Amino acid sequence: MSFIVNTIRTAIRAWTPQVNTVRYRYHADKIAKGPLVRRRGYESPVHVRGLLPHTGGLNRLPLPIYRPKNVWTEKRALFGQNDYIDILGSENLHPTRIMYNVQSWLRGVKGNEYQILLRRKKMWGPGIFPIARPTKWRDLMKRINFLYRRLNRKTKTGFSRKS
């Protein structure tokens, strides 16, 4: 009997009435008070109206001052100087030999992704790369194996059955 009494007592102590707070008892009171004012006094720095930014009146923002570019800077003056070296220059220098900002395994390469990765493996394999970067080396080998299997399964050859 005491077990039931204790259970009821703890249930009564733990029970709290559920209260819903209502800000407006009636919708008419809310409407009578007017629209809700949000962010009072805030002015957005982003101009979202029209094509040009509005500065609050008749005057428009001024255009930036025109400053011509120096066309004879080293970067602009020498741009494209080696583009026609195979046509106008000597025959001893191949255009792929002057691609300085391209990785060595990508210079003058032709072929699909599998062939490019094989070339990369051939150039990086004898060096320190497999030891220094084992995760990148493993990813390279995984990609080569995947492409090897895919090309062998999906590539049509002359002996393939025509469907």
Side-chain angles (χ1 to χ4, degrees):
M1 185 75 175
S2 64
F3 173 74
I4 296 173
V5 172
N6 287 338
T7 309
I8 293 172
R9 283 183 186 163
T10 55
I12 291 173
R13 260 187 270 133
W15 181 80
T16 55
Q18 185 177 6
V19 178
N20 289 337
T21 56
V22 179
R23 198 169 283 180
Y24 293 101
R25 176 92 185 197
Y26 300 104
H27 186 68
D29 295 343
K30 181 179 175 183
I31 299 297
K33 207 167 183 188
L36 182 64
V37 178
R38 291 194 173 122
R39 303 175 88 175
R40 195 177 109 221
Y42 175 76
E43 293 180 14
S44 175
V46 180
H47 301 287
V48 293
R49 297 175 286 139
L51 298 176
L52 292 175
H54 302 278
T55 56
L58 303 172
N59 54 350
R60 293 184 176 172
L61 293 178
L63 288 173
I65 299 169
Y66 173 72
R67 292 186 181 93
K69 293 178 180 144
N70 183 6
V71 293
W72 289 109
T73 59
E74 184 178 355
K75 183 179 177 182
R76 288 192 181 97
L78 301 179
F79 179 76
Q81 70 174 352
N82 294 327
D83 289 351
Y84 295 104
I85 201 160
D86 58 336
I87 298 170
L88 303 174
S90 64
E91 296 175 5
N92 301 334
L93 190 60
H94 195 267
T96 58
R97 306 289 293 166
I98 56 172
M99 295 180 182
Y100 303 115
N101 40 350
V102 177
Q103 290 92 349
S104 60
W105 52 272
L106 270 179
R107 285 185 197 156
V109 69
K110 292 179 184 173
N112 56 28
E113 182 186 1
Y114 176 69
Q115 293 165 337
I116 292 172
L117 291 178
L118 283 180
R119 180 179 164 104
R120 189 178 189 178
K121 175 187 166 190
K122 179 181 157 191
M123 295 184 96
W124 282 2
I128 192 76
F129 188 80
I131 299 161
R133 306 218 186 292
T135 307
K136 286 211 180 242
W137 182 256
R138 189 192 73 222
D139 291 345
L140 175 70
M141 299 309 294
K142 280 170 60 175
R143 186 68 184 162
I144 288 173
N145 288 335
F146 169 77
L147 290 171
Y148 174 78
R149 288 192 309 263
R150 183 179 173 96
L151 288 171
N152 278 333
R153 289 180 187 148
K154 302 291 183 183
T155 304
K156 303 274 186 198
T157 62
F159 298 107
S160 300
R161 281 188 252 155
K162 296 179 181 176
S163 52

